[in-house]
Amino acid sequence: MKSKNSGQREKGTKLLSIRDLYVEGFSDERWHPIVRGVDLSLKRGEVLGLIGESGAGKSTIGLAAMGYAKPGCRITQGSILFDGIDLLAMAETARRRLRGSRIAYVAQSAAASFNPAHRLLDQTVETVVAHGIASREAANRDAIKLYRRLHLPDPDTIGFRYPHQVSGGQLQRAMTAMAMACRPDLIVFDEPTTALDVTTQVEVLASIRKIVEEFNTAAIYVTHDLAVVAQMADRIMVLRHGRTVEEAETRQMLAAPAEDYTRTLWAVRKLAKPEVPAADHLLTIDNITAAYAGKVKVLQDVSIKVPRGRTVAVVGESGSGKSTLARVITGLLSPVSGSISFAGHRLPRTLKERPKDILRRIQMIYQMPDNALNPRQTVEEVISRPLEFYLGLKGAACDRRVGELMHMIEMDESFLDRLPGELSGGQKQRICIARALAANPELIICDEVTSALDQIVQEEILKLLMRLQQEFGVSYIFITHDIATVRAIADEIVVMHQGKVVEQGLKTEILTPPHAPYTELLLSSVPEMDPDWLTKLLETRERKRVGAAN
Amino acid sequence: MNPVVRMVLQRLGLGLITLFIVTIIIFSAIAMLPGDFAKAMLGQSATPETVAAFQREIGIDRPPVERYFAWVGQIVQGDFGSSFASRTGYRRTVAEIIAPRLYNTMFLAVMTALIAVPLALGLGILAALYRNSWFDRVVNTVTLTTISFPEFFVAYMLAYLIISRDTFIGTEFAQSLPEWLAASINWVLNLVPKFPTLANISDQTPFWEHVWRAALPSITLTLVIVAHMMRMTRAAIINMLASPYIDMARLKGMSPMAIVLRHALPNAWAPIVTVIAFNLAYLIVGVVVVEVVFVYPGIGQLMVDAVKSRDVPVVQACALIFAATYILLNLTADIISIATNPRLLHPR
């Protein structure tokens, strides 16, 4: 993909040229600008990374490169020349012939973007057959070859499965195969690994990079993750509010970003707090085993200690049992065996058996503030409910406390009349934090609270949580799959894999080698800013694999 | 066992249980009807002794529980019993009374379904494809209009249309119009085939003659049921069009028609099939009004007559057939919904 990896690959002639692009989106009864005058050019075989926070217009630009605007959006101005053809001037039917065959698309969520009703193979070859490029038999054979090149397991038969029968990482590779089926000149990758675990992400990144390089395909790689784009792109363009902030060769951009905004994108990853060992433990989990509806055990013999006034980060990939652990602690799921003691007392297993005061002392904040807030309740109603329910506050006392809480989460009281729909993602998460704090809890379980947010907003939320811990001595169980967040906030770390605790200890103990094998895999899979990181990692793993085989 | 097979067996079992409960409801409901066959037959002037003797003869003097079990016992053996209209030496079984009527009803239902279901699906798909266009609006308005009128009104209007074909030119209204206009209206009216306005048929009627005579009832029923199915097809498809995989199909360069047929429709079957089943059940269970208007000898009229004369075995058999129709059609809809869902059909 990058010239240095493919032995000074020849960059070809100009393939795509976007000039002065303006795109608008329709919401709240009027048109809002999404992209405001972006220029972009791409040569054959070149990979351009588009990076920026959500709302920067990066996906919209990626789609515009296909001459496409999402329903509810329109391209109002500018020119898009693809291989000398003006995409905006041509008829829709002609554009349709280009899409899929010469310009292909790989979507963020492969699980949602594959049609559940058809087999993978049929979907992979659909474009080839519909555009009349090859017969179905030839296309099927070629698809199987592509599956093999992308290292999909059982390439001969995996195509006969339905989307729900294969894993997310495999689907994302199958989608890359689908995009490759017509051997397009350009592929738009729209956050292809954002929904994946780090361990899976490495494999998918490696597959994508290999195949794009082999076919000398040009690509636009849209992501919000700088470390990822550093591995994939020859050139990076930073976007904000629909405008270009800066554009440079990958190495140059990483070594010396010119703009302040670009530097703030780096900052979050540098956030780190020194760990503080704890004096005593607030919560002790002993040999918990849990299962859903008597089926496979999701947690096996899990024992964890949560120090008072500190943060324990629980890390692991999806399916490792992190969220189930939270459900057991809060009493939503009663464990099959084992016990939990909280502040020296044994916790009843189920929610019903727990007195209100225990419920008050353990609060929870969720990943999706959108789902956790009632869209019909104002901020004031959301925050005063726990005050009334747990503490019996009413009238002026309640209002005063709501004001204090708003002050704690650094939000103005003018927000109190707003509905959740009128707030940004970060503001909504702050309201969720205020709601948890309102109960004066001793323990807050944070379930992936920052993973739906942009990096800059993430940093603000993490700083707020740390400040609140210092002021009120509340303990956190911080469930996350993001190692950067762990570095930023944790005192202790628990590594989980397939329902078991792999390792636990102080942050420095866990993060400095030697690691347990799974921790090693997890930590090494976290992308780093070094543009050679992926290449080196793959080499190291290959050496180890060969070494182990001998 | 394959989960689909298991689910089908499970539903069949549940259907049988439902049917059993329905027998209890039917029996008690009919037992609660005021009057009985004997009184209805002999009239008000009959002496209590004659009534009692007649009640004994047809067996309705026995306690209800005993009669219920006798009835259910017969049904399990496939015997619907004898009509109260039977006399010694002249036994009329319920089966032989119902069979020709049921055949007629099924004939009309199947014929209507063959017209209405493809029509509704086709219109629904086109309306979804050209949503918010003038075509979509016209189809929606027309189907909504036809469903808004009571079915007897639609039936009489159609019959009136057929009659106007011959009589229009002679009406005062036609003579008050300019000659060219009256002539062209007459010409248009004459394009309408001269369907029979009375659908009187017997078991000797040849097949195509039967089709011809059932045309007007069938068109009436089509107008009544098409709107519901068409609108559900349209809504279910449009609902699917918001899915990410539809965006993906657009970005793969698929044509709008291919997107609707290949990508949206296969995922939209479940709600559509449920509505189709509901309307097909209506074709068998709820057509009595249309039967009366066109004098079509279907099972609906038979049941109404039987209720009037308190011919309990016939009423019970009709009610049971209706219940079984509902259960069977809904079962079929469930099975189709499952069979079109790859998550259930092909488990991990």
Side-chain angles (χ1 to χ4, degrees):
Chain A
M1 206 156 188
K2 276 181 307 189
S3 50
K4 62 185 180 305
N5 297 315
S6 54
Q8 292 304 315
R9 195 177 59 186
E10 200 61 31
K11 290 284 177 275
T13 49
K14 183 175 273 187
L15 179 68
L16 178 75
S17 144
I18 297 179
R19 287 284 158 267
D20 202 27
L21 179 73
Y22 281 81
V23 185
E24 291 181 343
F26 194 77
S27 65
D28 299 334
E29 306 291 307
R30 63 192 188 92
W31 292 94
H32 301 268
I34 298 175
V35 177
R36 324 170 193 217
V38 166
D39 294 334
L40 180 156
S41 69
L42 193 64
K43 296 193 197 98
R44 283 186 183 278
E46 189 184 29
V47 178
L48 172 71
L50 294 184
I51 187 158
E53 50 194 299
S54 58
K58 46 193 197 305
S59 292
T60 311
I61 295 173
L63 289 173
M66 310 182 73
Y68 184 83
K70 273 187 214 152
C73 293
R74 62 177 185 194
I75 298 170
T76 50
Q77 199 183 316
S79 72
I80 302 167
L81 287 179
F82 171 78
D83 202 16
I85 316 163
D86 188 344
L87 288 187
L88 295 182
M90 67 202 301
E92 179 60 24
T93 44
R95 268 201 294 266
R96 219 151 54 210
R97 273 196 293 279
L98 280 184
R99 283 185 204 136
S101 62
R102 295 196 63 197
I103 316 175
Y105 181 75
V106 175
Q108 172 169 1
S109 167
S113 297
F114 269 110
N115 191 325
H118 300 294
R119 296 174 195 274
L120 291 181
L121 190 61
D122 293 337
Q123 299 194 55
T124 308
V125 303
E126 189 181 8
T127 334
V128 185
V129 177
H131 289 300
I133 293 168
S135 71
R136 184 167 288 273
E137 292 70 36
N140 283 351
R141 278 196 301 277
D142 183 62
I144 290 167
K145 273 186 211 153
L146 285 172
Y147 291 155
R148 186 165 284 124
R149 282 188 168 192
L150 286 159
H151 299 296
L152 278 161
D154 310 318
D156 292 319
T157 54
I158 195 168
F160 296 100
R161 303 218 199 150
Y162 284 89
H164 69 275
Q165 293 174 310
V166 303
S167 74
Q170 290 165 3
L171 274 182
Q172 205 56 270
R173 274 179 276 174
M175 181 160 281
T176 307
M178 182 160 88
M180 252 330 157
C182 290
R183 303 293 185 274
D185 301 303
L186 171 65
I187 300 184
V188 177
F189 290 96
D190 194 353
E191 308 242 16
T193 60
T194 308
L196 303 177
D197 286 314
V198 277
T199 43
T200 321
Q201 172 173 270
V202 170
E203 295 159 20
V204 175
L205 288 179
S207 299
I208 291 179
R209 198 167 80 171
K210 176 167 161 266
I211 200 154
V212 171
E213 225 166 69
E214 279 175 4
F215 292 118
N216 196 27
T217 314
I220 292 178
Y221 198 99
V222 174
T223 177
H224 66 271
D225 190 335
L226 259 177
V228 165
V229 84
Q231 313 309 315
M232 309 302 282
D234 300 305
R235 204 150 46 89
I236 297 179
M237 182 187 265
V238 182
L239 294 159
R240 189 185 194 194
H241 303 324
R243 293 198 183 87
T244 310
V245 175
E246 66 175 309
E247 186 184 349
E249 296 293 317
T250 300
R251 278 165 194 281
Q252 190 194 334
M253 172 85 79
L254 292 173
E259 298 291 322
D260 287 341
Y261 176 72
T262 314
R263 275 193 287 273
T264 61
L265 288 174
W266 268 244
V268 191
R269 308 200 149 253
K270 292 183 183 138
L271 191 68
K273 79 161 201 178
E275 67 197 16
V276 187
D280 65 333
H281 291 107
L282 177 67
L283 184 83
T284 313
I285 300 170
D286 271 323
N287 299 94
I288 286 285
T289 298
Y292 286 108
K295 288 194 186 142
V296 194
K297 285 174 185 163
V298 190
L299 292 177
Q300 283 186 42
D301 273 340
V302 171
S303 300
I304 292 171
K305 284 188 165 130
V306 181
R308 190 184 293 274
R310 303 281 178 266
T311 302
V312 174
V314 180
V315 281
E317 56 193 77
S318 56
S320 62
K322 310 187 295 275
S323 293
T324 308
L325 181 67
R327 290 175 66 86
V328 170
I329 297 172
T330 51
L332 288 169
L333 179 72
S334 58
V336 177
S337 63
S339 67
I340 305 174
S341 69
F342 179 72
H345 299 284
R346 195 179 158 130
L347 272 184
R349 290 181 170 210
T350 62
L351 208 54
K352 275 186 202 157
E353 295 168 285
R354 294 186 185 181
K356 206 190 225 183
D357 195 53
I358 293 286
L359 298 182
R360 177 188 66 76
R361 290 158 76 187
I362 304 178
Q363 292 291 314
M364 188 141 181
I365 307 173
Y366 296 89
Q367 175 172 8
M368 295 296 196
D370 281 316
N371 299 345
L373 293 173
N374 185 333
R376 294 265 165 227
Q377 284 185 343
T378 62
V379 170
E380 183 164 16
E381 286 171 309
V382 169
I383 301 179
S384 28
R385 176 65 186 151
L387 293 174
E388 204 185 303
F389 180 77
Y390 290 119
L391 308 170
L393 288 186
K394 284 200 179 73
C398 183
D399 292 345
R400 203 165 47 244
R401 184 67 185 147
V402 169
E404 283 171 22
L405 285 163
M406 288 299 277
H407 183 68
M408 281 180 209
I409 56 166
E410 296 154 15
M411 275 175 75
D412 194 83
E413 287 188 37
S414 63
F415 283 100
L416 285 175
D417 297 332
R418 303 248 192 122
L419 291 172
E422 299 166 316
L423 303 174
S424 73
Q427 286 168 340
K428 275 182 267 194
Q429 200 56 288
R430 279 170 193 265
I431 300 301
C432 291
I433 293 172
R435 175 170 64 181
L437 277 180
N440 292 331
E442 288 162 53
L443 174 66
I444 299 182
I445 302 171
C446 305
D447 191 355
E448 304 268 12
V449 290
T450 55
S451 51
L453 304 171
D454 286 317
Q455 295 202 8
I456 294 169
V457 184
Q458 272 185 29
E459 187 190 355
E460 289 165 4
I461 296 286
L462 292 179
K463 280 182 175 164
L464 173 68
L465 286 170
M466 283 192 278
R467 206 200 75 221
L468 293 171
Q469 185 170 57
Q470 278 171 2
E471 286 177 25
F472 304 104
V474 56
S475 311
Y476 294 134
I477 295 179
F478 212 94
I479 294 170
T480 182
H481 66 270
D482 182 28
I483 305 294
T485 310
V486 174
R487 278 185 221 276
I489 196 165
D491 296 294
E492 295 190 11
I493 298 179
V494 176
V495 182
M496 289 189 66
H497 184 48
Q498 295 178 345
K500 291 182 184 150
V501 172
V502 178
E503 246 189 318
Q504 59 180 311
L506 287 173
K507 178 161 65 178
T508 41
E509 285 170 20
I510 302 290
L511 293 182
T512 37
H515 305 297
Y518 177 73
T519 314
E520 169 72 37
L521 176 72
L522 194 65
L523 291 178
S524 69
S525 301
V526 179
E528 290 169 18
M529 287 299 190
D530 176 7
D532 296 326
W533 167 79
L534 183 61
T535 318
K536 284 185 200 156
L537 177 74
L538 293 175
E539 279 168 7
T540 320
R541 287 193 181 170
E542 181 65 19
R543 256 203 317 279
K544 275 194 190 151
R545 207 172 54 80
V546 174
N550 293 339
Chain B
M1 202 186 336
N2 184 312
V4 176
V5 176
R6 200 174 59 203
M7 206 171 288
V8 169
L9 291 178
Q10 216 171 26
R11 293 289 161 90
L12 268 175
L14 278 175
L16 280 178
I17 294 172
T18 317
L19 207 55
F20 174 72
I21 296 169
V22 166
T23 59
I24 299 176
I25 296 173
I26 291 173
F27 188 87
S28 352
I30 291 172
M32 275 186 269
L33 281 178
D36 64 32
F37 184 75
K39 285 174 194 152
M41 195 68 192
L42 299 172
Q44 287 182 335
S45 57
T47 60
E49 291 76 29
T50 356
V51 172
F54 193 42
Q55 280 176 339
R56 218 172 10 257
E57 188 191 327
I58 55 175
I60 53 176
D61 58 331
R62 285 176 295 152
V65 176
E66 193 188 320
R67 275 187 287 145
Y68 171 74
F69 282 106
W71 177 55
V72 171
Q74 278 178 337
I75 290 173
V76 172
Q77 297 165 42
D79 178 9
F80 283 96
S82 305
S83 162
F84 286 168
S86 305
R87 294 286 168 278
T88 342
Y90 172 67
R91 182 172 186 255
R92 292 204 64 195
T93 63
V94 172
E96 80 189 51
I97 295 176
I98 288 184
R101 297 299 196 96
L102 183 62
Y103 169 80
N104 288 345
T105 296
M106 294 302 282
F107 189 100
L108 182 59
V110 170
M111 181 174 159
T112 309
L114 287 178
I115 302 169
V117 174
L119 185 70
L121 286 178
L123 287 177
I125 288 168
L126 289 175
L129 191 59
Y130 302 110
R131 58 196 168 282
N132 304 328
S133 69
W134 63 265
F135 172 81
D136 183 23
R137 283 182 201 140
V138 167
V139 168
N140 265 308
T141 315
V142 170
T143 51
L144 262 188
T145 311
T146 59
I147 205 179
S148 306
F149 290 126
E151 54 205 275
F152 67 85
F153 182 76
V154 176
Y156 280 127
M157 285 311 288
L158 285 176
Y160 182 70
L161 191 73
I162 301 295
I163 295 164
S164 310
R165 190 179 175 277
D166 295 332
T167 58
F168 172 75
I169 207 76
T171 57
E172 268 178 49
F173 173 66
Q175 277 159 7
S176 73
L177 292 175
E179 201 174 325
W180 62 270
L181 188 58
S184 33
I185 292 178
N186 194 44
W187 182 78
V188 170
L189 281 173
N190 272 287
L191 289 180
V192 181
K194 194 173 166 51
F195 292 121
T197 51
L198 288 185
N200 50 340
I201 48 158
S202 69
D203 45 356
Q204 267 86 46
T205 315
F207 182 81
W208 290 110
E209 183 64 23
H210 194 159
V211 171
W212 175 246
R213 293 198 180 169
L216 270 196
S218 182
I219 293 170
T220 309
L221 289 171
T222 301
L223 289 176
V224 172
I225 65 169
V226 109
H228 198 187
M229 296 190 286
M230 171 261 158
R231 290 169 70 81
M232 183 47 96
T233 307
R234 176 183 182 275
I237 290 176
I238 288 180
N239 195 20
M240 288 298 143
L241 291 181
S243 321
Y245 55 79
I246 297 293
D247 276 332
M248 190 67 215
R250 291 197 185 108
L251 290 168
K252 278 164 80 179
M254 295 295 122
S255 68
M257 194 55 140
I259 287 174
V260 165
L261 290 183
R262 255 187 69 78
H263 289 274
L265 192 58
N267 294 296
W269 277 125
I272 298 174
V273 165
T274 310
V275 167
I276 290 179
F278 183 80
N279 280 288
L280 293 190
Y282 168 81
L283 285 182
I284 293 169
V285 176
V287 293
V288 63
V289 175
V290 174
E291 283 176 11
V292 170
V293 171
F294 293 106
V295 201
Y296 185 82
I299 198 169
Q301 273 200 55
L302 176 70
M303 188 175 178
V304 171
D305 293 343
V307 169
K308 266 192 245 160
S309 65
R310 303 287 185 271
D311 194 347
V312 173
V314 175
V315 178
Q316 285 174 337
C318 289
L320 203 58
I321 288 171
F322 289 170
T325 307
Y326 255 104
I327 292 169
L328 211 64
L329 281 169
N330 278 306
L331 180 77
T332 316
D334 281 357
I335 293 170
I336 293 176
S337 310
I338 294 162
T340 54
N341 184 343
R343 278 170 196 274
L344 292 168
L345 205 57
H346 306 273
R348 300 201 113 190

